[in-house]
Amino acid sequence: MEKTGGTLMNTYGRLPVHFARGEGVWLYDEAGKRYLDGISGVGVNALGHAHPAVTEALCQQAKTLIHTSNLYGVRLQEKLADKLCQLTGMNRVFFANSGAEANEAAIKLARLYGDQRGVQKPDIIVMERAFHGRTMATLSASGNRKIQAGFEPLVSGFIRAPYGDLDALRTIAENNSNVVAVLMEPVQGEGGLYPATDDYLRGLRELCDAREWLLMLDEVQTGNARTGRYFYYQHADILPDVVTTAKGLGNGVPIGACLAQGRAAEVFKPGNHGSTFGGSPLACAAALAVVTTIEQQDLAANAAARGEQLMGQLRQQLADVAGVKAVRGRGLMVGIELDRPCAALVGQGLAKGVLINVTAERVVRLLPPLIASEAEIAQLADAVVSLVRDFCATT
């Protein structure tokens, strides 16, 4: 078994494989073995690997201009912002380099919003099981003790609430006048693939309106057509004040975005926030290619259809497996919850040529590329069913 890492810092438990190239939903290692990619670089490769539109955009942009900084206008950044606002109903966009940075921007925006309203120590309500990133503010906002341990003192100003419980939020509202925003994931990815109901999102919108709180949605993983709409909140026919995204936006090129509308759109002024690399011509060229392809090929509809296919096949073929507790998700964001820890499935899948992920110790997470065909999704489902059946029968 080959070794990985070498002189790299020991921050990842890397699997014993090095990929040499990719094409569509497939990856190939240095020995030429083929792997069906059911995780898309943790939701990043929305268009799969080596997509021609992204490749062409990167090559052409690299020939002309890669970086100038935000001291100057960046035409592609403006075009991308216009496109995202057109698709989502938002008014303003700040570009960063990752989901964590986009969430940092949202947290800062909420605090500044509170300050402008005269709240000296503003609080943000966040959720149990949440994951918002690994910077100090975003790990403090996360509901995951494992990523927080050893990094105390954490950033203050976060109040944790149970996910999906509007009554708990109303109780907080009655007892805390410093709350200025709610930050939550419409689907808890790292937390175990728990989708919010449309009614819950509508209730959140109503509560935030009544209390003059900002409703801030972390759509780093759910955005860019992953769940069958461009953003998850569109399923519920609401509009948040702030929404963040990254991952699938650049198809592998680092880019994140914090979008705002209404009262939140004008909170930031020059000097309040910034990024040296955020929204570079190169990253925006890639993202424009992604967004345009998603729209032109109606990949949101494909994600919805292929997600129903995937969940339906999994539920049918795993119905008689005692160790399977639930299959849940939305679009091509699917989780299979087992009744036991199942991290070993990742290595077992790798050995059999299928890439999966396990989150929250007991949930198999599937995030296949949005371009996946009906036949490829059927193949992925068959492979995962075989893995889960064998695992439950032997552990």
Side-chain angles (χ1 to χ4, degrees):
M1 185 172 290
E2 65 175 309
K3 294 182 179 179
T4 60
T7 53
L8 296 171
M9 283 194 179
N10 189 27
T11 54
Y12 295 95
R14 290 180 171 87
L15 292 164
V17 64
H18 293 80
F19 294 115
R21 67 183 183 90
E23 183 178 354
V25 301
W26 298 95
L27 281 166
Y28 299 80
D29 68 18
E30 293 173 325
K33 180 179 176 180
R34 189 171 78 155
Y35 301 79
L36 180 57
D37 189 356
I39 195 65
S40 303
V42 197
V44 168
N45 299 106
L47 304 187
H49 301 281
H51 192 280
V54 178
T55 300
E56 178 66 16
L58 286 170
C59 289
Q60 291 303 315
Q61 190 59 41
K63 291 178 182 178
T64 58
L65 194 64
I66 291 177
H67 174 79
T68 60
S69 89
N70 287 298
L71 295 176
Y72 315 101
V74 180
R75 189 66 70 191
L76 287 172
Q77 188 181 120
E78 295 164 2
K79 287 180 65 176
L80 178 59
D82 288 346
K83 191 69 174 175
L84 289 172
C85 288
Q86 171 198 332
L87 287 168
T88 64
M90 308 305 278
N91 302 140
R92 298 275 189 177
V93 186
F94 172 82
F95 287 109
N97 308 287
S98 67
E101 286 185 37
N103 285 335
E104 282 275 346
I107 291 167
K108 287 182 67 177
L109 188 153
R111 287 192 170 193
L112 189 57
Y113 168 75
D115 179 80
Q116 290 170 357
R117 295 178 60 212
V119 181
Q120 293 185 347
K121 293 184 177 180
D123 289 326
I124 300 171
I125 297 175
V126 292
M127 303 296 159
E128 295 173 358
R129 298 192 309 254
F131 180 84
H132 297 295
R134 294 182 180 273
T135 63
M136 282 305 301
T138 57
L139 74 82
S140 298
S142 297
N144 184 334
R145 184 58 195 152
K146 287 176 66 175
I147 70 165
Q148 296 172 342
F151 296 108
E152 293 84 357
L154 301 178
V155 176
S156 62
F158 298 106
I159 300 172
R160 206 160 308 283
Y163 190 74
D165 188 341
L166 284 173
D167 287 337
L169 298 184
R170 295 186 184 104
T171 299
I172 292 171
E174 292 167 2
N175 292 281
N176 189 318
S177 60
N178 289 329
V179 173
V180 297
V182 175
L183 172 63
M184 58 86 69
E185 304 156 279
V187 180
Q188 291 192 322
E190 294 291 331
L193 266 290
Y194 292 96
T197 66
D198 294 348
D199 284 345
Y200 176 62
L201 290 179
R202 294 184 191 114
L204 271 177
R205 179 68 278 174
E206 292 173 5
L207 178 61
C208 288
D209 285 341
R211 294 287 175 170
E212 296 188 320
W213 297 346
L214 299 181
L215 175 57
M216 308 197 303
L217 300 183
D218 175 349
E219 296 225 29
V220 168
Q221 194 166 144
T222 53
N224 307 294
R226 171 58 57 187
T227 69
R229 299 292 299 271
Y230 196 85
F231 278 132
Y232 190 96
Y233 66 78
Q234 293 169 327
H235 291 291
D237 196 26
I238 65 164
L239 199 61
D241 299 292
V242 178
V243 62
T244 61
T245 193
K247 287 191 181 292
L249 180 58
N251 210 61
V253 177
I255 184 170
C258 177
L259 297 83
Q261 64 88 21
R263 58 191 170 186
E266 307 301 329
V267 170
F268 280 148
K269 301 293 188 247
N272 289 146
H273 197 48
S275 170
T276 297
F277 294 104
S280 73
L282 189 70
C284 288
L288 271 168
V290 171
V291 174
T292 300
T293 301
I294 287 173
E295 187 178 29
Q296 289 179 347
Q297 297 185 8
D298 200 4
L299 292 181
N302 191 61
R306 299 287 72 78
E308 286 299 314
Q309 175 195 349
L310 179 57
M311 284 186 281
Q313 191 170 338
L314 291 171
R315 285 169 179 152
Q316 181 181 21
Q317 297 183 16
L318 294 172
D320 62 339
V321 179
V324 176
K325 294 183 66 176
V327 175
R328 56 178 175 262
R330 201 157 193 177
L332 285 175
M333 189 172 184
V334 176
I336 307 165
E337 184 180 0
L338 304 187
D339 64 358
R340 67 204 73 176
C342 58
L345 275 168
V346 177
Q348 293 169 13
L350 183 72
K352 293 187 177 182
V354 60
L355 305 181
I356 62 173
N357 179 240
V358 168
T359 187
E361 296 186 344
R362 298 167 184 254
V363 180
V364 177
R365 175 168 55 173
L366 300 174
L367 303 166
L370 307 185
I371 60 164
S373 68
E374 184 176 354
E376 288 164 340
I377 290 298
Q379 187 174 351
L380 174 63
D382 286 341
V384 172
V385 165
S386 177
L387 284 169
V388 172
R389 279 187 169 278
D390 290 347
F391 179 80
C392 289
T394 58
T395 59

